[in-house]
């Protein structure tokens, strides 16, 4: 009797475990299905079209190449001279204008890729072209942001970069 009860309990628990496993099949992307552009959130679209960084310059930022927007935010802590402030502002303004224009191109490319899948008529050839356009734009965006970090680093002295890194939490 004890063995039968143990077998019965094991069978019920196994069945419950299998049933529970079926309920966890919901995709982690399910909430994104209602997006206008499935690959981009509204916040992503806003960031990209206003010329924001979107995390594209992390290799520079995390390796001691300060970004222009953060340098401008921290101008007093870093001790920017008037000349440095003017140069960093110019780098920032140009970067933001270029990134905003390219961001709109990237968002449009992602919108077209999404629409092609939504139409259910996409071919492999069209897919290749759409992906190539989106990735070329993303590459240009990344270059724009990384190049701005390079330019700003040439304006600052090593002491200012060290202060920047410390305030950003990058110092060791």
């Amino acid at each position: 009797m004890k063995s039968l009860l143990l077998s019965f309990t094991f069978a019920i628990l196994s069945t419950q475990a299998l049933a529970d496993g079926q309920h966890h099949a919901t995709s982690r992307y399910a909430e994104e299905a209602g997006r206008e552009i499935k690959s981009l959130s509204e916040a992503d679209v806003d960031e990209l079209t206003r010329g924001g960084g979107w995390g594209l310059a992390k290799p520079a930022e995390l390796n001691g190449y300060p970004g222009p927007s953060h340098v401008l935010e921290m101008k007093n802590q870093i001790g920017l001279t008037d000349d440095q402030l003017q140069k960093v502002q110019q780098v920032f303004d140009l970067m933001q204008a270029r990134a905003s224009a390219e961001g709109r191109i990237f968002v449009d490319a992602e919108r077209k890729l999404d629409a092609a899948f939504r139409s259910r008529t996409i071919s492999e050839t069209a897919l290749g072209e759409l992906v190539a356009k989106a990735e070329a734009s993303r590459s240009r965006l990344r270059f724009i942001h990384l190049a701005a970090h390079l330019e700003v680093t040439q304006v600052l002295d090593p002491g200012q970069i060290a202060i920047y890194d410390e305030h950003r939490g990058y110092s060791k």
Side-chain angles (χ1 to χ4, degrees):
M1 179 73 171
K2 194 175 191 180
S3 157
L4 183 60
L5 184 58
L6 186 59
S7 295
F8 181 74
T9 302
F10 180 77
I12 289 175
L13 290 174
S14 297
T15 303
Q16 185 62 42
L18 286 173
D20 284 348
Q22 292 172 354
H23 292 293
H24 295 290
T26 302
S27 171
R28 65 182 182 163
Y29 305 126
E31 293 180 13
E32 299 171 9
R35 290 179 176 176
E36 178 190 350
I37 303 170
K38 306 303 186 244
S39 60
L40 300 172
S41 69
E42 286 183 36
D44 291 335
V45 171
D46 178 60
E47 175 94 356
L48 289 160
T49 58
R50 71 173 175 75
W54 207 47
L56 293 170
K58 282 183 184 179
E61 176 73 17
L62 298 176
N63 282 296
Y65 291 80
S69 65
H70 301 301
V71 168
L72 291 172
E73 291 169 359
M74 299 168 45
K75 63 186 175 192
N76 294 330
Q77 295 96 320
I78 295 172
L80 290 184
T81 65
D82 289 342
D83 184 53
Q84 287 176 314
L85 180 59
Q86 182 183 4
K87 287 177 182 176
V88 173
Q89 187 67 56
Q90 288 173 344
V91 170
F92 173 76
D93 291 344
L94 185 57
M95 176 206 67
Q96 190 172 41
R98 288 177 174 167
S100 178
E102 193 61 51
R104 287 189 297 276
I105 292 168
F106 177 68
V107 168
D108 187 57
E110 287 293 319
R111 183 178 283 114
K112 287 177 179 171
L113 180 61
D114 190 76
F117 274 97
R118 192 177 319 113
S119 73
R120 306 194 82 66
T121 59
I122 189 168
S123 67
E124 192 170 322
T125 301
L127 175 61
E129 292 169 4
L130 290 167
V131 168
K133 285 180 184 177
E135 291 307 310
S137 179
R138 185 181 185 283
S139 177
R140 289 188 300 269
L141 262 174
R142 194 166 197 205
F143 180 84
I144 289 165
H145 286 285
L146 288 166
H149 282 250
L150 279 177
E151 286 184 68
V152 167
T153 301
Q154 295 171 7
V155 172
L156 304 177
D157 67 44
Q160 289 171 314
I161 293 171
I163 293 168
Y164 175 91
D165 286 345
E166 182 180 327
H167 282 283
R168 296 284 288 161
Y170 306 144
S171 59
K172 295 173 180 150

